[in-house]
Amino acid sequence: MKALRVKNVYFVESPLQLMSALEAVTFFKDETIIYYKLSSAQSKSDFQMIDIIKKSGLNCFSEMNNRSRSIWHISCLKLLIMFLLFAKSERVFIGDFRNFWFNILAGSIRSKEVVLLDDGASTIYLQYKFFSKGKGFRTFIRNKKAKGIKRNVNYIFSLMFNDKVPNLFSFFNFDGWLFDKQIDYCKVRKTLKKGERVRGVYFLGSKLSEAKILNFNQELKFILFTKNYMEALYPEHVYVYVPHRSDSEEKLIKIHEEGIRIKKIDVPIEIYFDSAECLPSIVCGFYTTALYTLNSGYCFESVISFDVSKNIACNKNIDSIRAVYSYYKSNGILVVPIKDF
């Protein structure tokens, strides 16, 4: 079976992780298999992943069955048995380090190293909070916020894993934050693209209310705050809202009712910018990873991140969110605090 004799094995479940995996395939140039997980319900993320797979022209993909929770667990168990008995590779790449099954499957393959692919804001948080301190998945599980029985279950599960720090294949700059002997397979940086610019501000949307990080009304107020801020700072530029793939139709209707222009993009923003003839002069957003990826690849008049962290202090993701804002500040992105509402 192909899965048992390739040099590199990948596990991904989002467009960003998949794009990172394809860059790693080009970088390492070894025989590869990419296991990808779609959501149980067809989503925009799924369509983007399928489109990326089709356009890649590669024949190295294997879908992990996720039609229901029980089928997902059964398919992972089958892979686990196969890997434990036969699998061996040079490297195993994980897209979502927080995915329990991805770590079990990666650990069941006899390999020389485990490599973490890009996974947006969580990559920054994991590197700062755990990897830079010599801690891996075992510590991560034990630090998950849980009470009572669930906390004890997490501790028992943690015993199944070692605490080895994974290497990285990331576009983020972690100079000074790597653990001893941790490798960062730095991608070749793209030459900054200048191209033609229009007088526009692209606000890159985030699924903050959909993910229950903010409530619906809060997020709308914050979006209006960014619009007013940018229009006061750049009166000759047109403010345009670029939705996240998970933005609800209800949110987009409300944004439109506020007189905000909306530009829907059906591919990952990085792919769109690569092929676009004209680009905006300014990009901004809350803490979306796209602010960093676009800032690394293109020349903009300004890149601004609006800080909402003071308004979500009780959220379970607050440590991760604060780590992202801190990282952005140290890497040349202007961070503007949003006033309390």
Side-chain angles (χ1 to χ4, degrees):
M1 285 180 283
K2 183 181 178 182
L4 308 181
R5 61 176 184 267
V6 298
K7 286 194 173 183
N8 296 321
V9 180
Y10 297 78
F11 299 97
V12 299
E13 60 176 349
S14 77
L16 180 61
Q17 295 168 25
L18 179 56
M19 289 191 295
S20 181
L22 291 175
E23 290 197 34
V25 170
T26 301
F27 182 86
F28 289 103
K29 298 182 175 65
D30 292 322
E31 191 176 8
T32 292
I33 185 166
I34 300 176
Y35 290 97
Y36 66 97
K37 175 190 175 186
L38 301 178
S39 63
S40 55
Q42 290 184 331
S43 66
K44 291 181 181 179
S45 177
D46 294 341
F47 289 123
Q48 288 185 4
M49 289 181 69
I50 292 170
D51 186 57
I52 293 169
I53 289 170
K54 289 179 179 178
K55 291 179 178 178
S56 73
L58 300 176
N59 186 28
C60 60
F61 300 96
S62 179
E63 182 179 352
M64 303 176 78
N65 197 328
N66 188 37
R67 289 196 298 271
S68 69
R69 180 173 293 184
S70 58
I71 291 176
W72 163 248
H73 290 312
I74 291 171
S75 65
C76 287
L77 281 171
K78 289 180 179 178
L79 282 176
L80 176 62
I81 293 171
M82 182 180 73
F83 290 163
L84 285 171
L85 292 175
F86 307 110
K88 186 177 181 180
S89 70
E90 289 285 324
R91 304 175 191 88
V92 179
F93 296 80
I94 299 177
D96 187 353
F97 191 77
R98 300 162 299 178
N99 187 305
F100 181 76
W101 268 115
F102 280 7
N103 274 278
I104 288 182
L105 294 173
S108 68
I109 299 173
R110 286 168 291 170
S111 64
K112 293 182 180 179
E113 63 175 323
V114 174
V115 183
L116 180 65
L117 297 167
D118 277 326
D119 190 27
S122 67
T123 307
I124 299 173
Y125 172 68
L126 290 167
Q127 182 61 33
Y128 282 10
K129 178 75 174 181
F130 299 102
F131 306 155
S132 64
K133 300 173 184 176
K135 305 299 182 182
F137 193 66
R138 177 184 291 179
T139 300
F140 171 74
I141 291 180
R142 291 181 179 179
N143 275 263
K144 290 185 71 174
K145 294 180 180 179
K147 296 180 180 180
I149 295 176
K150 190 172 182 180
R151 183 178 181 181
N152 294 331
V153 170
N154 285 348
Y155 182 84
I156 293 171
F157 274 134
S158 73
L159 299 176
M160 299 171 58
F161 303 95
N162 62 44
D163 219 24
K164 187 175 180 181
V165 174
N167 291 323
L168 303 173
F169 190 86
S170 175
F171 50 64
F172 291 112
N173 177 12
F174 288 126
D175 290 347
W177 284 94
L178 293 177
F179 186 62
D180 184 40
K181 297 183 179 179
Q182 184 185 19
I183 300 172
D184 183 3
Y185 293 102
C186 295
K187 303 174 189 177
V188 177
R189 301 294 176 185
K190 296 179 181 178
T191 301
L192 289 178
K193 298 180 181 179
K194 296 183 179 179
E196 186 178 347
R197 291 292 185 271
V198 296
R199 288 184 175 179
V201 175
Y202 276 17
F203 181 93
L204 309 180
S206 302
K207 53 176 183 177
L208 299 190
S209 56
E210 290 80 2
K212 302 188 185 306
I213 294 172
L214 294 173
N215 67 49
F216 185 80
N217 290 329
Q218 266 187 316
E219 185 173 14
L220 286 176
K221 287 180 180 179
F222 291 169
I223 291 170
L224 286 175
F225 174 89
T226 68
K227 176 180 181 292
N228 294 333
Y229 181 94
M230 297 306 293
E231 287 181 342
L233 197 61
Y234 302 99
E236 297 182 352
H237 289 63
V238 178
Y239 179 97
V240 179
Y241 183 89
V242 180
H244 185 275
R245 60 180 178 271
S246 298
D247 272 350
S248 68
E249 284 301 316
E250 181 186 7
K251 183 201 291 184
L252 298 183
I253 290 172
K254 288 291 186 181
I255 290 172
H256 178 71
E257 289 176 350
E258 294 292 342
I260 297 175
R261 185 179 301 182
I262 296 174
K263 182 179 181 63
K264 292 186 177 181
I265 296 174
D266 295 325
V267 297
I269 191 73
E270 294 84 0
I271 293 178
Y272 172 80
F273 270 49
D274 274 344
S275 59
E277 294 182 1
C278 295
L279 298 175
S281 302
I282 301 157
V283 293
C284 58
F286 294 127
Y287 56 90
T288 173
T289 309
L291 291 177
Y292 181 83
T293 59
L294 295 179
N295 189 49
S296 299
Y298 302 88
C299 291
F300 295 104
E301 183 179 339
S302 183
V303 178
I304 299 175
S305 172
F306 289 94
D307 188 350
V308 297
S309 61
K310 290 184 179 180
N311 299 277
I312 50 178
C314 296
N315 190 276
K316 64 180 181 180
N317 298 306
I318 187 60
D319 289 341
S320 175
I321 293 168
R322 286 171 176 162
V324 173
Y325 283 123
S326 176
Y327 180 84
Y328 282 178
K329 284 180 182 178
S330 64
N331 281 272
I333 294 176
L334 175 63
V335 176
V336 175
I338 287 186
K339 297 176 181 178
D340 293 333
F341 283 85

